[in-house]
Amino acid sequence: MDTVNLEHLAGRRVLSLRGKSVGHIEEIRAEQDGDDMVVTEFHVGIFAAFERLSALALGTAVLDFFHLRHRDCLYRIPWDKIDISDPVRPRLRCTLEQLSQMKGGFESKRGAKSSKGLGIARWSTVLRFALAVFLCAAAVCAVLWYMTAARPPFGEQDRQFEGPGNVAHGKLVFAAGDCASCHATPGQPDRLRLGGGMAIASPFGTFRPPNISPDAVDGIGGWTVTDLANALIGGVSPKRDHYYPAFPYTSFTSIKPDDVKDLYAYLKTLPKVSGRVPPPDPALLFSIRRSVGIWKLLFFRQRSTAARFDGDPLHDRGAYLVETISHCAECHSTRNAFGAIKPGTRFAGGIDPQGTGFVPNITQDRLRGWTENDIARMLKTGETPNHGRVGSSMSDVVTNTAMLPDSDRQAIARYIKGLPPIATPRP
Amino acid sequence: MDLLRDLLDKQVLDRKQVKIGKVDGLVAELRQGKPPRVVAVELGSITLARRLGSRPGRLMAWLAARFGGERHAEPHRIAWNKVRNIGVDVEVDVDVRRTGIFDWQDWLRDRVIGRIPGA
């Protein structure tokens, strides 16, 4: 079936056999013919004075807007006298003499106003289109704004954090979480003075772990346990800002509520340190904390974990420690251009978060020669099976893992030993 | 009837009086020796974009196909014999849920709005 879209005819110039403009289509008249609706004639208006300017659709629209056009006459042209097979270029099929007999006179005042001929139809289309585009853009912005808002996962009334925490167990969570390595005040030996301030340089700017001592003014002494839970699990501050993922909540997010409670109780027992940390100096892209909301949409799944469990209690305890609390993958993986861990490189090593050195692969691709006991011993003493010692940031990790019970180190070792081999990605 | 004045750009209502869009286009069949016959009305962004020119039309069709699948690469058409009543609005005898017209709204609801926690 040979079809055309009639709406394209609205406002089009009709060309004569010789290629001269005879006017613009203002209306398409149709009539019922049995069950069919058929086109019977076209109304073509002539606007002598401004014909040249109106060659531009925009010019026509402007003229119409200011009511500057006066139609000189209207032709009523039967359907078979205009070739509309190309509706963008309608052509007259008769001579101009024949055309002059088709004048519709000036009764067309009403027609001129109500018809959508000429530029008006196209102009209103442009407007409608622009409006639609604008509304879509506005809707996308609104949705994005809404989706990037920092929403704390827990309300103050949350029952699961009720009751006193276990300080002794909280101390172990603190050690396993390596919190002191980032939050202890640099330049002094006491790892329990959590004044913060160490500079973490990264390709995304310089971040500073804040003061998390129980000082009510400069630290988190005024925090509730749900505030701490929202920070660790949601990466959201009490002021409802996003935290930068330099704070490894991407791993902590699957922490058990009881562990948060115990950690909270333990943090309360530590010495108060006064003094605030200078604000972070993130790269331009992340200078507005809201933008971390977009990052989170892409790379952060609250309360999810990469851990694989197999039912063996020791292995599964190891899974929880390695993937959640001790966040080993945060260092031992390769990151993408946005600083998120590339899924296929988890534990396979990569450039360290500071972008200065290489953190080794700890999957069975490289640790095949290590036994479970070798790994557990390294986590206690720092000694590697080939009579070396781990250095750099891993020695801080070991300071903490050394405080864990043997069973936890064994658990970590079992899970690490069970990591399938992945080739080290090329830096 | 004046097609441009009485039909084009009018609101379309389905069988259940649900507003499903506007008459963005009118399709006519060209017949040898007989006047062109109106066979369908068209709705949707592709038709609307085509009115601005072939390039915007192609761009919109590509976008629609890209995001909606091949099913959405063509404008939505409603056959002329389904058009019931042409007044202030144009009533058609179809059920919008059986067309693809609201697909993108459903998509938006399922994929975006539905995923917003609390929405």
Side-chain angles (χ1 to χ4, degrees), chain A residues 102-123:
Chain A
M102 301 172 193
K103 275 201 183 144
F106 291 86
E107 77 35 71
S108 51
K109 264 247 142 61
R110 178 204 126 238
K113 270 220 180 102
S114 59
S115 95
K116 305 197 182 186
L118 303 156
I120 304 172
R122 290 180 77 192
W123 186 236

Side-chain angles (χ1 to χ4, degrees), chain A residues 1-8 27-30 36-39 79 110 116 125 128-129 143 146, chain B residues 1-5 8-9 24-26 28-30 34-38 42 50-52 80 112 116:
Chain A
M1 187 164 70
D2 211 1
T3 63
V4 292
N5 275 64
L6 295 178
E7 70 276 9
H8 293 307
E27 191 51 89
I28 305 167
R29 167 124 325 155
D36 293 339
M37 176 66 72
V38 299
V39 174
W79 66 269
R110 178 204 126 238
K116 305 197 182 186
T125 310
R128 269 175 71 191
F129 199 72
V143 167
Y146 188 75
Chain B
M1 183 173 57
D2 289 339
L3 291 181
L4 300 184
R5 185 193 63 189
L8 198 62
D9 293 339
D24 294 311
L26 291 165
E29 178 194 4
L30 298 180
K34 288 201 221 153
R37 186 170 71 105
V38 181
E42 280 186 353
R50 280 185 186 156
R51 277 161 73 174
L52 294 175
W80 183 255
V112 184
I116 300 172

Side-chain angles (χ1 to χ4, degrees), chain A residues 82-154:
Chain A
I82 293 186
D83 175 6
I84 57 165
S85 53
D86 179 0
V88 185
R89 269 175 232 79
R91 275 182 161 274
L92 208 57
R93 272 192 173 131
C94 61
T95 63
L96 293 177
E97 288 83 75
Q98 285 172 300
L99 186 67
S100 61
Q101 283 146 32
M102 301 172 193
K103 275 201 183 144
F106 291 86
E107 77 35 71
S108 51
K109 264 247 142 61
R110 178 204 126 238
K113 270 220 180 102
S114 59
S115 95
K116 305 197 182 186
L118 303 156
I120 304 172
R122 290 180 77 192
W123 186 236
S124 78
T125 310
V126 172
L127 280 181
R128 269 175 71 191
F129 199 72
L131 190 69
V133 168
F134 174 79
L135 287 179
C136 282
V140 167
C141 287
V143 167
L144 209 61
W145 183 253
Y146 188 75
M147 290 175 84
T148 55
R151 280 184 200 77
F154 306 105

Side-chain angles (χ1 to χ4, degrees), chain B residues 40-61:
Chain B
V41 296
E42 280 186 353
L43 283 75
S45 49
I46 300 180
T47 309
L48 206 54
R50 280 185 186 156
R51 277 161 73 174
L52 294 175
S54 59
R55 212 172 308 208
R58 274 201 303 272
L59 176 70
M60 186 55 78

